[in-house]
Amino acid sequence: MTKQLLIYDKVVPVNRQTHRDVSVKRTTSFDFARDLNSLPIVDAEFARIALEMPIVFAKTDTGVVSLALLGASENRNAFVAKDGTWTGRYVPAFLRRYPFVFAVEEEGKRMTLCVDDSFSGLNEDNLGERLFDSEGTETTYLSTVLNFMEEYQATYNRTQQFCDRLQELDLLEEARIDYRLSDGKAGGVTGFLRVSNEKLRALPDDKIAAMFRSGDLDLIQLHLLSMHNAELLVSKSIEGDEAAGAEDGIEVGKAEEMGLN
């Protein structure tokens, strides 16, 4: 089955009739993210992600999005171990919200909470957290999920505005990460954008002042700093790729797959 929204197989609206007796049992497995070499991130997590992963940008059908690079090979996440555990210190919010996601309709005016119906943790055996009680009222757990999803969506919208400003100021440039394997084979991570230092320094003072006050400069500095993780990411990827026989080189995500809604 073709996945929707990068990691979701079967997205359905959460319904008090359909899901009245359904519980959610969380697992420690990140197998659902094993095929991701990048994923969307929001500005609130730039500081944490910048310590472990390169932060880049990519064009989509609706604009530019910010991404965390997770691997240097196509369809391979270097942060997911063979047993499905996450090997990094920080788990991006895009993954932490799974199996839930918002479906945004009517130009962003209406949001419907959905769940991946294929998630193995969904059950009617009362294992984990119930979505609704016996009377069909949403539980504290479901209320917590809704609050997290609403906060995530608001932060996502704010991050999109930041990305839009980078594009409007023409600060982004095509970039790539080149690497060479121990056997001499070379590869590269392509298809992403980064902020150009030259273009940034060329901005007039009033633009720089506005970016400083808005916090955009902080995010740009975290992005540029995070690029020093590229060598570590490639090394981490190669360790797994050599064992799995993966092909060299990737292109970061397809534009039509980068939406969060």
Side-chain angles (χ1 to χ4, degrees):
M1 177 181 295
T2 301
K3 286 196 174 185
Q4 304 173 36
L5 308 174
L6 298 178
I7 57 176
Y8 298 83
D9 282 317
K10 188 179 179 182
V11 174
V12 298
V14 173
N15 182 285
R16 70 179 65 252
Q17 280 76 43
T18 305
H19 298 100
R20 181 163 182 159
D21 298 320
V22 171
S23 297
V24 179
K25 183 181 180 182
R26 292 285 186 174
T27 71
T28 58
S29 175
F30 285 86
D31 276 329
F32 65 89
R34 187 177 295 279
D35 297 337
L36 289 182
N37 59 25
S38 64
L39 55 73
I41 58 175
V42 294
D43 59 7
E45 51 187 353
F46 270 40
R48 295 289 301 275
I49 288 175
L51 298 176
E52 298 184 79
M53 311 160 193
I55 296 172
V56 300
F57 303 91
K59 293 180 180 179
T60 74
D61 291 338
T62 58
V64 171
V65 295
S66 54
L67 305 171
L69 288 186
L70 303 177
S73 299
E74 187 175 7
N75 299 327
R76 195 172 296 275
N77 187 338
F79 288 87
V80 177
K82 289 184 178 180
D83 61 1
T85 57
W86 186 262
T87 62
R89 296 188 299 273
Y90 177 75
V91 180
F94 186 87
L95 300 181
R96 282 187 281 118
R97 67 178 185 166
Y98 186 79
F100 298 99
V101 65
F102 266 141
V104 182
E105 305 171 14
E106 298 177 3
E107 298 182 353
K109 295 180 180 179
R110 179 185 176 186
M111 295 187 295
T112 301
L113 182 67
C114 297
V115 66
D116 187 348
D117 211 34
S118 68
F119 176 55
S120 61
L122 295 185
N123 67 90
E124 294 186 2
D125 302 318
N126 207 31
L127 300 176
E129 302 285 350
R130 286 180 63 99
L131 298 177
F132 301 94
D133 62 22
S134 58
E135 297 180 354
T137 303
E138 68 179 46
T139 61
T140 301
Y141 170 72
L142 183 54
S143 295
T144 301
V145 169
L146 278 167
N147 289 336
F148 175 78
M149 297 299 296
E150 289 170 355
E151 181 180 355
Y152 180 86
Q153 191 65 35
T155 309
Y156 166 69
N157 293 339
R158 186 178 68 209
T159 307
Q160 285 306 109
Q161 293 170 7
F162 163 66
C163 293
D164 290 344
R165 290 192 291 271
L166 294 182
Q167 193 170 24
E168 290 167 3
L169 292 171
D170 191 30
L171 290 178
L172 299 172
E173 63 180 4
E174 297 283 345
R176 64 177 283 128
I177 298 172
D178 294 306
Y179 61 86
R180 184 174 296 276
L181 302 179
S182 58
D183 61 4
K185 292 182 180 179
V189 182
T190 63
F192 68 90
L193 305 171
R194 65 176 294 166
V195 171
S196 165
N197 268 313
E198 290 74 17
K199 291 182 177 181
L200 182 61
R201 285 194 292 267
L203 287 178
D205 292 348
D206 61 327
K207 296 290 187 182
I208 293 293
M211 295 177 70
F212 170 75
R213 294 191 180 94
S214 68
D216 286 359
L217 279 184
D218 292 338
L219 297 177
I220 290 173
Q221 290 303 317
L222 288 170
H223 150 64
L224 294 174
L225 178 65
S226 77
M227 297 304 291
H228 292 289
N229 291 319
E231 182 178 350
L232 179 62
L233 178 67
V234 169
S235 298
K236 191 177 182 70
S237 298
I238 290 174
E239 291 176 2
D241 290 352
E242 290 181 333
E247 295 183 2
D248 302 337
I250 72 158
E251 181 172 353
V252 176
K254 295 180 181 178
E256 63 270 20
E257 295 176 338
M258 291 302 172
L260 287 170
N261 303 325

